[in-house]
Structures are given as C-alpha cells and as structure tokens.
Amino acid sequence: MILKFYDFWPLWVTYLFIISLLFFAAEIGFYSGKARKIKVVDTEAEDKQTGSIMAASLGLLALLLAFSFNTSTNIHTERKNLVLKEANAIGTLYLRTRLFDLEQAHELREILREYITLRINMVRDLSNASLKEKIERSEVLHDRIWTLVTEISQDMDKTVGTIQLIHAANEVIDLHSERINAGLKRIPVVSSFILLFIALLTLALMGYQSGLNGARVLIPRTALILSLATVMIVIVDLDRPGGDLVEISQHSIESLQEQLQ
C-alpha cells in the first residue's frame, strides 16, 4: 500500500492541527511558569536554567527539521528524476521498434502508447484501489512487451538491433519497479512523531519561561509557531507521493505521449 490514511488529509487541516498543538503546548507552559512564579520568590536562577535548556532544545529542533527536510527533498527529487528517466526509456524502446518491419513491432508500439497513457493516469487518480489496478495492468503489459521482444529477437537472430531492443525493454520494466519503490520511500513515522514531540516541548519551555517572567510575548511566539508549522507542512507535502504544494512535473512523459500519438 503506497498511500497511508493520513495522505488523504487536506494539507490545510494538517497545518491548522500542527499550529493548534504548538499553541496549546505554549499556553500550558505559560500557565505552569506563572503558577511556579507564585510559589518561588526568587525565580532568576530558574529562569536562567530554563533559558539554557530551551536553547539546547531549539538547537535539537533545528537539527531534526534540517534532517527531515533534507530527507523529504531527496525522496521528492528521486521521484521527479524517475519520471524523466522513464519517459526517455519508453521513447527509446519505441524508436528501436521502428527498426523492425514486423507485426510484433507494430503491436509493441501500440502497447507502448497504452502504457504511457497508463503511467500518466497513475498520478492523476491517487487512490490505493486505482494504483493497484494500474500497477497490475502495467505488469500485464510488461509480460506482453517481453513476449513480443522475445519473438522479434528469435525472428531476427541476435543482431545489434535486437540486443538494443532487449536492453530498452528491460529498462522500461526495471523503471516500473524503481518508481514503485520510490513511492514507498517515506520519512519514518517515528521520526515525524519525534520532530513534533521536540517542537511541542520547545514551545512549552518557551511558554514556561514567559510565565516565570510574567510576559506573554504573543507576537514573537506566534511568528515562531507559524514558521515551524510552515516548514513541517512542506516536509509533509514533499514526503507524499502526490504533493499538493510541490508537485512532480509530468511534462516529459506528457510530451512523449503527444509525440507517440
């Protein structure tokens, strides 16, 4: 199963959920600090220690954000590159079929036209049921492609053209598996929870220190929360197989479809 249940949540819902959690953590910290200030006469020493711990927590949060962002960017880049690579592979196989004036070569070109349409539709209708159906259809077409390539190679013996045809067909089939694996690559769920947990603790510490000082500093806190939530939502979008904010361009494979038509 490529898509998880949370992949179908609208991004704005996830965004508001993260903001709400961070604000809630900050408010809990603030009222805890305010209650602590009433009990302790001299809060200066505790305020300094809290500031040092908060600085360490902010550093850890920055490290986790950078790691998660880098991981999601690499996953997104790999998926984007595979689209171009697959378009080139299908185009190469199509051109090499034109070296043979055989019935199998004509049928192979018709299959490739259907195959490339199938690959484009795969990302237009993102649901597990639709993906499963299109993956199964792709594998059926792979079997037929390989059968036709085998028949051509038997009819034409082992010429340079047939060897190149076999290599091109094999690459198209292999890239199917690579794209499936790229779709399965995700940021570990435990890493996402750790990132969110550290962010909540950091905001709680900030709120606690504000409570000790008796100053709410709502505007700076809001700016930090919005910044953190925005970076997190971009990480979530990059991690999804079908991003909403940062989409994977299908221009190369769509251009090839127009040429093959």
Side-chain angles (χ1 to χ4, degrees):
M1 194 164 100
I2 293 179
L3 299 176
K4 308 297 182 182
F5 67 93
Y6 48 80
D7 289 329
F8 299 101
W9 296 350
L11 277 181
W12 66 269
V13 173
T14 307
Y15 186 59
L16 292 179
F17 178 71
I18 294 173
I19 290 175
S20 301
L21 283 179
L22 295 177
F23 265 113
F24 183 68
E27 285 299 299
I28 289 179
F30 176 77
Y31 284 108
S32 299
K34 196 173 180 180
R36 179 65 175 170
K37 182 180 179 181
I38 297 174
K39 295 179 181 179
V40 180
V41 177
D42 184 13
T43 58
E44 185 177 351
E46 188 167 350
D47 179 53
K48 288 181 180 179
Q49 291 184 16
T50 302
S52 300
I53 296 172
M54 186 180 66
S57 181
L58 281 170
L60 179 59
L61 178 60
L63 179 65
L64 290 173
L65 281 172
F67 173 77
S68 300
F69 189 84
N70 183 63
T71 302
S72 61
T73 301
N74 290 339
I75 292 172
H76 178 83
T77 301
E78 180 181 356
R79 292 170 182 162
K80 182 173 63 175
N81 291 338
L82 282 173
V83 173
L84 176 60
K85 194 174 179 182
E86 185 175 47
N88 290 336
I90 296 172
T92 299
L93 178 58
Y94 186 89
L95 290 175
R96 288 179 180 174
T97 60
R98 296 174 67 179
L99 297 173
F100 307 94
D101 189 18
L102 298 172
E103 182 181 347
Q104 293 94 330
H106 291 289
E107 183 180 350
L108 187 54
R109 288 194 287 274
E110 291 297 324
I111 291 176
L112 288 176
R113 292 190 185 98
E114 178 187 352
Y115 185 72
I116 197 168
T117 301
L118 187 68
R119 307 304 285 179
I120 293 174
N121 292 335
M122 187 176 291
V123 297
R124 288 178 177 172
D125 181 17
L126 281 176
S127 66
N128 282 316
S130 176
L131 283 173
K132 182 180 179 182
E133 177 185 349
K134 289 179 174 62
I135 289 172
E136 290 175 351
R137 180 57 184 166
S138 296
E139 291 171 351
V140 170
L141 294 179
H142 290 162
D143 291 338
R144 186 55 186 162
I145 288 171
W146 192 252
T147 299
L148 292 171
V149 169
T150 303
E151 291 177 0
I152 292 172
S153 64
Q154 290 174 348
D155 291 344
M156 303 298 294
D157 296 326
K158 296 295 181 182
T159 61
V160 174
T162 56
I163 293 174
Q164 291 179 337
L165 184 69
I166 292 171
H167 176 73
N170 188 63
E171 187 174 6
V172 169
I173 295 171
D174 288 345
L175 281 170
H176 166 76
S177 299
E178 289 186 32
R179 287 196 68 181
I180 297 299
N181 289 333
L184 292 171
K185 285 183 180 178
R186 309 295 295 272
I187 295 176
V189 177
V190 65
S191 298
S192 301
F193 276 114
I194 291 173
L195 174 61
L196 183 59
F197 180 69
I198 297 299
L200 291 174
L201 284 181
T202 302
L203 265 297
L205 282 172
M206 292 185 68
Y208 183 79
Q209 189 177 38
S210 296
L212 288 176
N213 295 328
R216 205 181 195 96
V217 291
L218 188 60
I219 294 177
R221 185 202 303 170
T222 302
L224 177 62
I225 289 175
L226 291 177
S227 300
L228 289 175
T230 301
V231 175
M232 288 181 181
I233 206 66
V234 171
I235 291 172
V236 170
D237 188 65
L238 289 171
D239 185 53
R240 288 182 176 183
D244 295 324
L245 296 176
V246 188
E247 296 181 357
I248 297 177
S249 174
Q250 303 293 317
H251 175 72
S252 57
I253 201 164
E254 289 173 351
S255 298
L256 178 61
Q257 183 189 38
E258 294 177 2
Q259 295 174 18
L260 297 191
Q261 295 300 332

